Amino acid sequence: MRLIAAIVVLTLIAIGAGAVAGLHLIATAERVADAKKSATPPPIASSYAGSARLRKLSPIVTNLAAPANNWARIEASMVTDSMSDEDAGILAAHISEDIVTYLRSATVVQFEGSRGLQHLREDLTERANIRSSGKVRELIIETLVIQ
């Protein structure tokens, strides 16, 4: 009989300790959730100054150097310093011509994998930067389809 009474007492102590621990965890979780709700997120820092503008280029379709029956279609945008819309339009046309020239001298093998796409983006950004005398900060490739 003493054994059964000892087991019942230990069981009641375990239930009580479990309930207290559970209530403490729930209270802590509620405090953390309330703190996260009231915390303001840090502002997102832009790598561009306030004068930067995103300008969309016309879609470009051209054939590749090898194999000759492959075609590429690229849609891109350029991040530029502040400039007039007329100058930006002229610059976009020149950069589009440079992209066509680059793609016509490239092969499909050059664009394979993530490294190939990264090299393409870097090469086109460098060409655009040179063509614009540093006014183009970055060329963003939105889509690239090779058929």
Side-chain angles (χ1 to χ4, degrees), residues 66-87:
N69 59 348
N70 280 3
W71 288 79
R73 181 178 194 271
I74 189 168
E75 291 182 17
S77 297
M78 60 181 183
V79 179
T80 63
D81 290 330
S82 61
M83 56 179 22
S84 69
D85 288 337
E86 184 178 329
D87 291 341

Side-chain angles (χ1 to χ4, degrees), residues 13-52:
I13 291 173
I15 289 172
V20 169
L23 291 174
H24 178 67
L25 284 174
I26 289 173
T28 303
E30 287 176 352
R31 278 185 297 190
V32 169
D34 289 340
K36 284 186 178 181
K37 286 180 186 176
S38 64
T40 58
I44 298 173
S46 175
S47 59
Y48 304 112
S51 63

Side-chain angles (χ1 to χ4, degrees), residues 98-140:
D98 286 347
I99 292 173
V100 168
T101 304
Y102 179 83
L103 289 175
R104 284 193 175 175
S105 65
T107 63
V108 175
V109 177
Q110 289 176 279
F111 307 135
E112 287 181 350
S114 60
R115 293 294 285 172
L117 187 59
Q118 181 67 26
H119 287 301
L120 172 66
R121 189 179 73 80
E122 289 171 356
D123 289 344
L124 292 179
T125 298
E126 183 180 353
R127 285 175 170 255
N129 196 358
I130 291 170
R131 170 65 84 166
S132 68
S133 302
K135 293 179 182 172
V136 173
R137 297 182 186 183
E138 185 178 2
L139 191 82
I140 301 169

